[in-house]
Amino acid sequence: MIGYTTIGVSDMERAKKFYCDLFEEKGAKVVIDAGRIAFIGTKRGEPMLAVCEPYDKQAPTPGNGVMIAFTIDEKEEADRLHARALELGATCDGPPGQRIPDRFYGSYVRDPDGNKLCFFTFG
């Protein structure tokens, strides 16, 4: 159901590099680059993440309670993505771990612009 999700960023080149490097093992790349907005994913027609400079030219601000959750295949991937995000300049917003016994495993970071990300799997 989701075509793409857009987040505001303050530095387009940094954001494109951050997300392409973060998801390189999934084959992520800039699929469409239209200047003030770029779509990152594996190919057109698949869900993508768009990074953009806000249209109103104001500073980007992460929403309170807003989070983008990325599905993963196994718990170890949540650990790897969390560590990789920190290497790329993100900050920890919740270390990898079992959140709901036998139901939900996840890790949380804030990207360099403060956007909250979750890497999770059910189980």
Side-chain angles (χ1 to χ4, degrees), residues 76-93:
E76 293 79 16
E77 190 176 358
D79 302 352
R80 286 193 312 271
L81 286 170
H82 187 270
R84 182 68 174 141
L86 297 180
E87 290 172 10
L88 294 169
T91 57
C92 179
D93 209 45

Side-chain angles (χ1 to χ4, degrees), residues 6-118:
T6 304
I7 57 173
V9 299
S10 60
D11 182 325
M12 286 293 292
E13 294 307 313
R14 178 183 71 185
K16 289 186 287 189
K17 181 169 177 21
F18 177 86
Y19 284 103
C20 287
D21 288 354
L22 179 62
F23 293 114
E24 68 183 332
E25 71 180 43
K26 292 191 175 280
K29 63 184 181 246
V30 176
V31 176
I32 301 168
D33 194 335
R36 63 166 280 281
I37 188 168
F39 296 83
I40 299 164
T42 56
K43 63 182 179 178
R44 289 183 190 214
E46 296 288 325
M48 293 182 279
L49 174 68
V51 294
C52 75
E53 296 169 340
Y55 182 77
D56 66 4
K57 309 263 191 254
Q58 300 300 309
T61 56
N64 185 25
V66 175
M67 179 180 71
I68 301 170
F70 297 93
T71 59
I72 55 168
D73 296 323
E74 57 190 14
K75 295 175 181 179
E76 293 79 16
E77 190 176 358
D79 302 352
R80 286 193 312 271
L81 286 170
H82 187 270
R84 182 68 174 141
L86 297 180
E87 290 172 10
L88 294 169
T91 57
C92 179
D93 209 45
Q98 195 73 41
R99 301 293 191 253
I100 303 170
D102 300 320
R103 291 199 182 166
F104 187 93
Y105 185 93
S107 61
Y108 302 85
V109 298
R110 297 265 178 179
D111 76 3
D113 285 295
N115 296 296
K116 187 172 183 178
L117 312 176
C118 174

